[in-house]
Amino acid sequence: MIGFSLSAQKIRITYETGYGMYSLSNLKDFQESHSSQINELPVSAVVRFPNYINHSATLCIYLDESNLLGINSAYLTSGGRNSLMDYSGEYIFDMILNGFQFGIESEHIRRFKNNFGLHLNFKLGLIKSELKYSESFKIYGVGESSSTDKLSQYDFFLEPNINFSKIIISGLAIKAGLGYNLNTSSFYGGMINWSGLRPKVGINYSF
């Protein structure tokens, strides 16, 4: 027997944070090739676009006690750095990567005793990626120069998820789950590809 009711609850707000496992091999290759072009200097790639924490939020309406439909957004980030420093000067090439994800989602909930739930969730939408990079040379006692630029890329994404939840007080639940985000960049070889696993934890509030 289910120990709670959603008859008076029409809206759900969700916040999630997770660890993004990204397919950024094209960016890593670009970073490596750029370091090899600096006049044969021994420039090192000290940060190589690591997997990193992401954040997301959703707003859903209950179609009935087991099915929801809504909108979602997410923020993703990573970065890279090439550098060389010695007694005569320094060289730094910084790359900051941000992703802004917007879309719709649907969810089906299977409820169990003791306020536990199994959630099958599907997200679909658009992701805007921005790569900002800056390059600077400095020769101590002589001078320095720098330049900046930006690359933008747009892709569609699909993200199925499976989550488990536990209601802790009326309307408030904690959750944990795993998803897989697939970008269209995977199919045409785009520079930026956020595809990968999405382990996550979060909190739901229904009212």
Side-chain angles (χ1 to χ4, degrees):
M1 180 177 178
I2 297 173
F4 56 94
S5 173
L6 293 176
S7 58
Q9 298 175 340
K10 303 298 183 183
I11 297 175
R12 188 188 71 188
I13 299 172
T14 301
Y15 166 75
E16 294 177 331
T17 184
Y19 189 71
M21 301 179 185
Y22 308 131
S23 301
L24 297 174
S25 58
N26 285 351
L27 271 180
K28 294 175 183 179
D29 290 344
F30 167 73
Q31 180 183 8
E32 290 289 344
S33 66
H34 192 85
S35 67
S36 67
Q37 296 172 7
I38 310 301
N39 298 324
E40 298 184 355
L41 295 173
V43 176
S44 299
V46 294
V47 180
R48 300 187 68 248
F49 292 96
N51 300 327
Y52 201 66
I53 294 169
N54 55 65
H55 305 273
S56 65
T58 66
L59 176 65
C60 291
I61 59 171
Y62 284 94
L63 303 178
D64 54 42
E65 291 193 353
S66 299
N67 296 284
L68 298 93
L69 183 66
I71 56 176
N72 67 77
S73 64
Y75 171 68
L76 309 89
T77 188
S78 187
R81 167 173 280 196
N82 294 347
S83 71
L84 171 64
M85 297 183 184
D86 62 17
Y87 68 91
S88 62
E90 64 183 53
Y91 165 78
I92 296 176
F93 181 53
D94 276 335
M95 294 161 283
I96 305 299
L97 177 63
N98 294 306
F100 306 92
Q101 183 173 289
F102 306 95
I104 59 174
E105 71 173 72
S106 63
E107 183 171 302
H108 176 74
I109 307 173
R110 176 75 183 275
R111 304 189 184 282
F112 301 98
K113 293 181 179 180
N114 300 316
N115 291 337
F116 285 98
L118 171 66
H119 304 247
L120 302 177
N121 178 281
F122 185 81
K123 298 178 181 180
L124 167 69
L126 178 72
I127 182 165
K128 177 185 179 182
S129 303
E130 291 185 349
L131 177 65
K132 298 179 181 179
Y133 46 97
S134 61
E135 190 171 33
S136 64
F137 294 88
K138 181 184 293 184
I139 300 177
Y140 301 141
V142 177
E144 62 182 282
S145 66
S146 63
S147 62
T148 61
D149 207 343
K150 182 173 71 171
L151 167 71
S152 295
Q153 180 178 304
Y154 294 85
D155 292 285
F156 293 103
F157 74 91
L158 299 173
E159 186 180 317
N161 296 271
I162 183 169
N163 300 298
F164 297 91
S165 69
K166 165 71 173 176
I167 292 180
I168 50 178
I169 60 173
S170 178
L172 187 65
I174 55 176
K175 62 182 295 190
L178 180 66
Y180 187 87
N181 188 295
L182 178 63
N183 283 197
T184 50
S185 178
S186 297
F187 303 102
Y188 69 86
M191 176 71 77
I192 303 166
N193 185 0
W194 298 101
S195 297
L197 290 172
R198 297 289 194 272
K200 63 190 71 177
V201 296
I203 187 167
N204 294 330
Y205 180 62
S206 300
F207 59 94

